[in-house]
Amino acid sequence: MAPGFGDFQLARISGEDVGDLEDVRLLDSYLDGSDALEEGMKRIQVRVTGMTCSACSTSVEGALRSLNGVLSASVALLQNKADVVFDPNLVKDVDVKDAIEDAGFEAEILDESNSYKTKNSGALVGQFTIGGMTCAACVNSVEGILRSLPGVRRAVVALATSLGEVEYDPAQIGKDDIASAIEDAGFEASFVQSSGQDKILLGVAGVCSEVDVHLLESIISTLKGVRQFRFDWTSRELEILFDPEVVKSRSLVEGIEKGSGENFKLHVTNPYTRMASKDVAEATNMLRLFTSSILLSIPVFLIRVVCPRIPLIYSLLLWRCGPFMMGDWLKWTLVSVIQFVIGKRFYVAAGRALRNGSTNMDVLVALGTSASYFYSVFALLYGAVTGSRSLPTYFETSSMLITFVLLGKYLESLAKGKTSDAIKKLIELAPATALLLIKDKGGRCIEEREIDALLIQPGDILKVLPGAKVPSDGVVVWGSSYINESMVTGESDPVLKEVSSVVIGGTMNQSGVLHIEATRVGSDAVLSQIISLVETAQMSKAPIQKFADFVASIFVPTVVAMALVTFFGWYAAGVLGAYPEDWLPKNGNYFVFSLMFSISVVVIACPCALGLATPTAVMVATGVGANNGVLIKGGDALERAQKVKYVILDKTGTLTQGKANVTAVKVFNGMGRGEFLKLVASAEASSEHPMARAIMDYARHFHFFEGSENQKDPNFGWLMEASEFCALPGRGVQCFVNGNQVLVGNRKLLIENGIEIPSHVENFLIELEDSAKTGILVACDRELVGVLGVADPLKREAAVVVEGLVKMGVKPVMVTGDNWRTARAVANEVGIHEVMAEVMPAGKAEAVKSFQKNGSTVAMVGDGINDSPALAAADVGMAIGAGTDIAIEAADYVLMRNNLEDIITAIDLSRKTFTRIRLNYVFAMAYNVVAIPIAAGVFFPWLGLILPPWAAGACMAASSVSVVCSSLLLRRYRRPRLTTILEITIE
């Protein structure tokens, strides 16, 4: 049983009890209650389809707010969802849906489990390890139990990882209640971690007696900010719930160690490490059971097959001891140990499955072995009573069946451990310790000490020595060095890091000493996010797996029915004389003959292989993808990616390097070049567009090196003050500089403001655009002043990747907000024949949908915030890893290396994975289709082909192992070489 909260010691804050661990909402005291619903009001959430821009979301909000009784309505464009609060006495759910549809959009009322949850909702996502699951039927059973619990909004269970992810409301249910519900159903459950950031698990050294425990409890009770804590004497682990607004995790550790006079030493326990150790423990336990079973089965086999050929030993076995012979006693004793001690797990699992109204593999194993065992016991007792040995015993069938099943389970547990290697490798990247620098107010280092890397806090200054791992995401504040980032980004070349450079936790410092300031720690760190993405992907289910789950749910009852039909069919045929008695085994009868066929059917028809076909392949694929710099967010993403027909590529930052440079400057009204650049830079200073940054860098370089009066200032002190700045998407910017209106942008911006573009300026723009450069027009006080030419170099692999996609049968399309001439020039350079230019940011999603109309599967590749709606709208969104967090969140694939070759890798890996999944289903389904008739004796009358129960058990174990091994072959995947794809022969 998972430990209950009764073991927790409560630390009082202001004389009040805190309550249950998961009831604590750390920001409750800071909320003004504005988010709370008024009495009698109702909140629903609606999925809105068809929105492409902010005007659409405004239109939906207006339609909703016009309803009498709607208190508030807000629409999230990127999430395609609307949140509506209304009076149910005046408005119904269907009225909300109709209002949205009347506005020209599609609407779907979301149930609570699928609704978008805000942080203030208090919902938590908890992970649980679940032991005892053996097939897809077990998974369905656990998921059904979890989803039926009050307060549980979502539950997903993965057979391959033995993990469950549950989203729940801590106000209605706690994590121990969830674990108890799983255990009440007969499975094993333990809590791993939750999305709450207010808990820490510590290993404690130095606690040797009850006195030490009381001392530890008294120290913790005096620490401010501690809500609850629990010390587990067996594991020497201390779990603390605390308020991060009051105290930090490192302060807790330091406070406990100092309070004990340094007698206690604490270290943070990584929950993933505990999970990895459980995988090892499971494999070890299965090996122990299998070894014990085979050691006891060998004597049973020898007594049956070998000993009758050795007269001396056989005479001893025939020696009568009480009602039975010595050989019978030995077989009964050995097999009883195998059946009820070693095989106890099958009875327990079968019992909980039947208790929950479901059936699984363990039901079949328990049924088959029990039939063989209890029949053999009956045959012995019948012989003792009648004095006749006419009924043969089949103890060896029961023992061999359990042995082979345990062998299959052991190999599956090994495979399960191997499929988690990607997460384990990522965990190993994280350093265990860090060197913390304590500085005085003057910035001088007064102390250097080693701390646990899991206790790093934002703002800490950390020292990184040559050959050491960077302990945290951060920014270099002193020193320079080359860092190997290949373990995270896949780039093999070391990267130079200097002051202000960003570093990633887990990467390797190669040469110099660095001082870095920690910026993102814990779950916000890049490495943690990668682990989370991989883990989430391995938890997900591909749509194709629904078929397997459905088949597994009805398969076991069908098999039992088939076994009964087999038994009664053969028995009735024998009684009616349909087949001769010489078909019967020696000392056998019709009952025994029929029973053996039915037991073989029960044993061989296990659906375990069917349930493993998809999750094992998805797990291996996500791990392989992570090792190749491609993060996959789930099995559904894999399934969609293997069907991609169009790949839509954003131009800036995707096809191009995203590092625009000013290559041409021309002034037309006689203004000085330096004054012109100063004017443009002052207008663009507030813009975050890549072209604005390019203009700023060029202007700074010009003023610093071309002899301006501020040449000693390499920064932007020479800029003029700009006011009323306004960014106009798809056109440019406008503002006032020293009271003069300044416009910087494209033709459309100037034409909208009534500014004429002379023919010689137009010719210069055309010349720039034909050479794949973007022309930026500058006007001041309604007069065109000059033009800047900006070029964004293509990525070196762009043209080859485009050709590779075409060779793979995928059609590349370029989409950009740039003008047609520049877009066409860039497209010609890379070999793209279909271009969509002058597309507004919100229009990229509409461009994606235009290709989806004919039923084609469309992938979108982008990197910016403005690409997020398109990434979300596409069947497969691929975010460049160097892009924004919002783009990465909206995508299905994250290409960590910022290399377009990974697009080919993502599609190729998806195709090979689903080829492997289909092959797995062939193994699983074809095996049952062929094996069940043989086991049922269909071919016995003509071919004399019979499959004993022990052989059926061996075949059943082999089927599961074959599927797992087939999935593990994906570990040999190698990213495709472009020379192979393009069929290039290198001399």
Side-chain angles (χ1 to χ4, degrees):
M1 288 287 291
F5 284 133
D7 298 330
F8 268 94
Q9 304 295 322
L10 301 183
R12 297 181 179 273
I13 301 177
S14 303
E16 297 179 2
D17 284 338
V18 180
D20 187 82
L21 176 66
E22 300 298 350
D23 284 333
V24 178
R25 294 176 58 185
L26 300 174
L27 298 181
D28 281 353
S29 58
Y30 301 95
L31 299 177
D32 57 10
S34 60
D35 288 338
L37 288 178
E38 295 183 10
E39 185 176 356
M41 295 294 105
K42 181 180 180 181
R43 167 173 277 149
I44 64 170
Q45 292 181 351
V46 189
R47 178 178 288 111
V48 184
T49 307
M51 297 188 298
T52 59
C53 61
S54 58
C56 297
S57 59
T58 302
S59 176
V60 174
E61 285 183 355
L64 292 171
R65 289 171 180 167
S66 65
L67 292 175
N68 181 30
V70 171
L71 183 64
S72 67
S74 61
V75 178
L77 175 63
L78 295 184
Q79 285 79 25
N80 290 320
K81 292 181 182 178
D83 185 275
V84 189
V85 178
F86 59 91
D87 185 346
N89 296 320
L90 301 175
V91 180
K92 304 300 181 185
D93 293 11
V94 67
D95 298 329
V96 174
K97 182 175 184 290
D98 291 342
I100 297 174
E101 291 178 343
D102 290 343
F105 303 91
E106 298 178 8
E108 177 189 356
I109 306 294
L110 297 175
D111 59 31
E112 186 181 9
S113 63
N114 292 325
S115 299
Y116 175 71
K117 307 297 188 303
T118 63
K119 290 182 180 179
N120 290 337
S121 69
L124 294 176
V125 177
Q127 286 186 341
F128 299 80
T129 57
I130 303 173
M133 297 188 299
T134 56
C135 63
C138 298
V139 172
N140 293 336
S141 177
V142 176
E143 285 184 348
I145 292 165
L146 291 174
R147 289 168 182 167
S148 66
L149 296 175
V152 171
R153 300 172 176 177
R154 181 178 62 87
V156 179
V157 176
L159 173 64
T161 57
S162 296
L163 277 177
E165 188 172 273
V166 184
E167 182 180 351
Y168 60 99
D169 184 353
Q172 299 183 53
I173 191 170
K175 62 183 179 66
D176 270 10
D177 297 324
I178 296 174
S180 297
I182 297 172
E183 291 177 337
D184 289 343
F187 298 91
E188 301 170 4
S190 62
F191 177 74
V192 179
Q193 63 176 358
S194 76
S195 57
Q197 300 299 312
D198 54 357
K199 190 191 77 169
I200 187 171
L201 189 65
L202 302 167
V204 185
V207 176
C208 304
S209 64
E210 288 293 336
V211 175
D212 292 332
V213 174
H214 291 309
L215 174 60
L216 178 64
E217 293 173 352
S218 63
I219 294 171
I220 299 174
S221 299
T222 61
L223 297 176
K224 293 182 179 180
V226 174
R227 299 298 184 97
Q228 294 175 329
F229 63 90
R230 174 179 58 195
F231 178 71
D232 189 322
W233 177 265
T234 304
S235 62
R236 297 294 199 278
E237 288 183 341
L238 175 65
E239 184 177 359
I240 302 179
L241 178 74
F242 62 96
D243 187 341
E245 299 291 332
V246 178
V247 65
K248 302 298 182 184
S249 56
R250 189 164 72 233
S251 300
L252 284 175
V253 172
E254 293 173 349
I256 296 172
E257 290 183 342
K258 289 181 180 179
S260 68
E262 303 296 335
N263 291 327
F264 300 153
K265 295 297 180 182
L266 281 69
H267 65 274
V268 183
T269 301
N270 190 320
Y272 291 104
T273 304
R274 298 169 70 205
M275 290 165 54
S277 64
K278 287 187 177 182
D279 289 341
V280 175
E282 180 184 357
T284 303
N285 182 51
M286 283 299 152
L287 177 61
R288 179 180 58 80
L289 291 175
F290 166 68
T291 303
S292 302
S293 181
I294 198 169
L295 289 176
L296 294 176
S297 297
I298 289 175
V300 177
F301 178 79
L302 293 176
I303 292 172
R304 178 65 180 263
V305 178
V306 178
C307 292
R309 302 177 183 274
I310 306 175
L312 180 61
I313 296 178
Y314 191 54
S315 63
L316 291 175
L317 295 177
L318 293 177
W319 179 54
R320 180 167 292 277
C321 183
F324 311 120
M325 291 182 291
M326 181 60 69
D328 294 331
W329 280 114
L330 287 174
K331 287 191 292 184
W332 190 1
T333 302
L334 291 172
V335 174
S336 295
V337 174
I338 297 173
Q339 184 76 26
F340 300 111
V341 179
I342 298 175
K344 175 184 175 182
R345 63 187 313 277
F346 297 112
Y347 282 103
V348 172
R352 68 184 169 222
L354 295 174
R355 192 164 60 246
N356 294 321
S358 64
T359 51
N360 59 14
M361 183 197 79
D362 297 297
V363 173
L364 295 180
V365 174
L367 186 61
T369 58
S370 296
S372 177
Y373 175 83
F374 286 111
Y375 162 76
S376 298
V377 173
F378 169 78
L380 280 182
L381 296 176
Y382 178 81
V385 172
T386 62
S388 169
R389 291 182 53 82
S390 59
L391 295 180
T393 60
Y394 291 96
F395 282 119
E396 64 279 356
T397 296
S398 177
S399 65
M400 294 302 290
L401 175 56
I402 290 177
T403 300
F404 283 127
V405 171
L406 289 173
L407 173 61
K409 298 304 295 179
Y410 169 61
L411 294 177
E412 286 174 26
S413 64
L414 285 181
K416 186 188 299 183
K418 289 183 178 180
T419 54
S420 301
D421 280 352
I423 291 181
K424 294 175 184 176
K425 289 179 180 178
L426 289 169
I427 296 170
E428 291 170 358
L429 289 179
T433 60
L435 290 175
L436 176 66
L437 300 180
I438 309 297
K439 297 187 176 183
D440 60 16
K441 294 181 179 179
R444 293 174 300 180
C445 181
I446 58 175
E447 183 183 352
E448 177 181 319
R449 62 179 177 180
E450 189 175 76
I451 64 169
D452 195 311
L454 294 174
L455 296 177
I456 296 173
Q457 299 169 181
D460 283 347
I461 304 299
L462 306 169
K463 182 178 181 180
V464 188
L465 299 173
K469 292 179 180 179
V470 176
S472 168
D473 292 3
V475 177
V476 177
V477 296
W478 180 87
S480 66
S481 178
Y482 280 91
I483 289 184
N484 184 352
E485 297 182 339
S486 61
M487 60 282 296
V488 176
T489 66
E491 294 289 350
S492 58
D493 295 334
V495 181
L496 176 63
K497 300 293 182 179
E498 299 177 305
V499 174
S500 299
S501 297
V502 175
V503 294
I504 304 173
T507 55
M508 185 68 70
N509 183 25
Q510 290 194 332
S511 51
V513 177
L514 294 176
H515 291 180
I516 68 168
E517 179 181 353
T519 55
R520 298 197 294 183
V521 301
S523 61
D524 294 329
V526 170
L527 191 58
S528 295
Q529 291 176 352
I530 293 174
I531 292 174
S532 178
L533 282 175
V534 175
E535 185 186 47
T536 301
Q538 294 184 345
M539 284 286 297
S540 69
K541 291 184 179 181
I544 194 174
Q545 191 173 343
K546 294 179 181 178
F547 167 74
D549 291 346
F550 170 74
V551 172
S553 65
I554 62 173
F555 197 76
V556 176
T558 303
V559 168
V560 173
M562 292 173 60
L564 293 175
V565 170
T566 299
F567 173 78
F568 287 111
W570 278 103
Y571 186 74
V575 172
L576 296 175
Y579 55 85
E581 291 189 4
D582 58 6
W583 284 11
L584 301 178
K586 184 180 180 181
N587 295 329
N589 55 38
Y590 296 122
F591 177 84
V592 175
F593 190 56
S594 305
L595 182 64
M596 290 303 99
F597 282 121
S598 64
I599 291 176
S600 295
V601 170
V602 168
V603 172
I604 205 167
C606 169
C608 188
L610 191 66
L612 292 170
T614 297
T616 53
V618 169
M619 280 193 64
V620 176
T622 52
V624 168
N627 290 335
N628 284 277
V630 178
L631 299 184
I632 308 165
K633 291 190 177 180
D636 53 344
L638 278 166
E639 184 163 350
R640 293 193 301 270
Q642 52 101 22
K643 297 184 291 186
V644 165
K645 295 299 181 185
Y646 290 92
V647 170
I648 298 179
L649 300 147
D650 180 48
K651 178 177 79 72
T652 304
T654 302
L655 283 172
T656 66
Q657 296 178 13
K659 299 176 182 178
N661 296 300
V662 176
T663 59
V665 176
K666 195 163 186 177
V667 185
F668 294 100
N669 71 341
M671 181 184 291
R673 186 183 183 93
E675 185 180 356
F676 172 73
L677 289 173
K678 186 176 181 180
L679 177 71
V680 180
S682 300
E684 292 281 14
S686 299
S687 175
E688 295 182 354
H689 196 279
M691 290 188 179
R693 293 196 296 269
I695 293 171
M696 295 294 295
D697 290 341
Y698 183 85
R700 178 172 61 177
H701 182 275
F702 179 86
H703 274 265
F704 185 50
F705 290 105
E706 298 296 331
S708 78
E709 59 183 8
N710 294 317
Q711 63 179 1
K712 293 184 179 179
D713 181 10
N715 298 309
F716 297 103
W718 42 269
L719 291 175
M720 296 181 286
E721 183 177 355
S723 60
E724 299 183 34
F725 174 85
C726 180
L728 305 170
R731 295 189 292 279
V733 302
Q734 68 178 22
C735 62
F736 286 87
V737 178
N738 289 344
N740 301 315
Q741 186 188 40
V742 178
L743 301 174
V744 183
N746 56 21
R747 293 182 183 86
K748 188 181 296 185
L749 177 64
L750 268 65
I751 293 172
E752 287 178 353
N753 285 271
I755 300 174
E756 183 181 353
I757 302 175
S759 59
H760 65 284
V761 177
E762 181 66 28
N763 291 334
F764 181 67
L765 283 173
I766 293 174
E767 183 181 341
L768 289 173
E769 292 164 355
D770 286 341
S771 59
K773 299 174 183 176
T774 301
I776 299 177
L777 298 158
V778 182
C780 182
D781 282 343
R782 306 185 66 79
E783 178 188 0
L784 195 150
V785 178
V787 175
L788 296 95
V790 180
D792 188 358
L794 286 167
K795 291 180 178 176
R796 60 185 180 183
E797 74 276 9
V800 182
V801 169
V802 167
E803 187 177 353
L805 288 171
V806 174
K807 291 280 188 179
M808 295 174 70
V810 179
K811 189 171 183 179
V813 180
M814 189 183 81
V815 61
T816 178
D818 218 332
N819 63 81
W820 277 101
R821 284 195 182 88
T822 302
R824 176 54 62 190
V826 172
N828 287 338
E829 283 191 51
V830 297
I832 293 179
H833 302 294
E834 191 156 354
V835 181
M836 303 183 75
E838 298 182 2
V839 178
M840 298 288 287
K844 291 182 181 179
E846 199 61 37
V848 169
K849 293 175 183 176
S850 67
F851 286 94
Q852 293 173 323
K853 288 180 180 177
N854 60 1
S856 298
T857 303
V858 179
M860 170 70 193
V861 186
D863 68 320
I865 294 176
N866 61 341
D867 297 325
S868 300
L871 290 169
D875 298 290
V876 181
M878 297 184 183
I880 299 295
T884 64
D885 290 343
I886 295 178
I888 291 173
E889 183 67 26
D892 301 294
Y893 284 72
V894 181
L895 313 181
M896 290 298 298
R897 303 191 313 155
N898 198 18
N899 190 318
L900 293 178
E901 293 180 31
D902 290 339
I903 300 173
I904 290 177
T905 301
I907 295 174
D908 183 67
L909 176 59
S910 301
R911 290 178 176 179
K912 283 185 169 56
T913 300
F914 263 78
T915 298
R916 184 62 56 182
I917 288 174
R918 294 185 186 99
L919 186 60
N920 287 350
Y921 279 124
V922 170
F923 285 158
M925 299 293 291
Y927 162 82
N928 283 319
V929 169
V930 173
I932 290 178
I934 296 176
V938 172
F939 303 106
F940 179 74
W942 299 280
L943 303 176
L945 189 61
I946 190 170
L947 194 67
W950 68 267
C955 294
M956 182 271 292
S959 71
S960 298
V961 173
S962 65
V963 167
V964 172
C965 292
S966 172
S967 295
L968 287 176
L969 287 176
L970 280 172
R971 289 164 57 89
R972 302 176 62 184
Y973 174 84
R974 295 293 179 267
R975 55 189 306 120
R977 297 177 60 185
L978 289 177
T979 52
T980 303
I981 295 175
L982 302 179
E983 299 175 352
I984 296 174
T985 302
I986 301 176
E987 298 295 331

